[in-house]
Amino acid sequence: MEVRSITKQFYEVISKVERTSEDGMQKVVKDTIVVSAVSFSDAEKKATEFYEGETLEKVCAIKESAYREYVKRTDIATHFSFYKVTVGMITINEVTGKEKTTKVAYLVDAGSTKEAEDVINKMFSGTVIDYKIISIKETNVTDIVLD
């Protein structure tokens, strides 16, 4: 398994988009995408461009994402299921000897929670970082827009 990590400033953009449902009816749905951008206005611009060809009702919300890294497998096609994986980086204070855990959130493209765990473990393999996976949660993110 090969993995790739992309570190950027990410924003979550929630939009209302008109889509055709399985029964052929037009329906307005809320859609959440993650956008790599330098500002809120840049995120809105990229989201609007992303929805070109679809009927974008409106951009409802833009917020800075909790994750700064996007991790995916490079040896297979994208799954388009996104998981928020919270990892605890463990350090020891050399003076007091106390253990400290710093939480870091990753957006992982995977087919299941088990695969998301495997992707994170592969990313950390070969490093000297002590870590533990604290949580893995499937997100409502439907796509990611990179530069």
Side-chain angles (χ1 to χ4, degrees), residues 88-99:
M89 308 290 187
I90 303 165
T91 57
I92 307 277
N93 184 316
E94 293 181 14
V95 176
T96 63
K98 289 187 177 182
E99 189 177 277

Side-chain angles (χ1 to χ4, degrees), residues 32-86:
T32 302
I33 62 171
V34 171
V35 178
S36 163
V38 295
S39 66
F40 285 92
S41 59
D42 187 35
E44 182 177 20
K45 178 180 174 252
K46 288 181 178 183
T48 303
E49 290 170 358
F50 175 79
Y51 290 113
E52 236 173 64
E54 294 184 69
T55 305
L56 174 64
E57 295 283 321
K58 70 176 182 174
V59 173
C60 301
I62 302 172
K63 66 178 182 177
E64 286 187 57
S65 69
Y67 20 79
R68 297 286 182 257
E69 282 191 65
Y70 164 59
V71 186
K72 68 177 205 145
R73 288 180 64 173
T74 58
D75 58 334
I76 60 172
T78 305
H79 293 96
F80 290 118
S81 288
F82 296 94
Y83 295 85
K84 179 181 177 182
V85 180
T86 304

Side-chain angles (χ1 to χ4, degrees), residues 105 115 137:
E115 187 178 342
K137 296 178 185 172

Side-chain angles (χ1 to χ4, degrees), residues 85-91 100-106 120 124 129-135:
V85 180
T86 304
V87 175
M89 308 290 187
I90 303 165
T91 57
K100 179 182 176 187
T101 301
T102 303
K103 293 180 182 178
V104 179
Y106 295 91
I120 290 295
F124 281 102
I129 299 170
D130 288 330
Y131 72 97
K132 63 181 172 185
I133 295 176
I134 297 170
S135 68

Side-chain angles (χ1 to χ4, degrees), residues 126-144:
T127 68
V128 295
I129 299 170
D130 288 330
Y131 72 97
K132 63 181 172 185
I133 295 176
I134 297 170
S135 68
I136 301 174
K137 296 178 185 172
E138 189 168 6
T139 69
N140 58 351
V141 173
T142 59
D143 213 336
I144 186 163

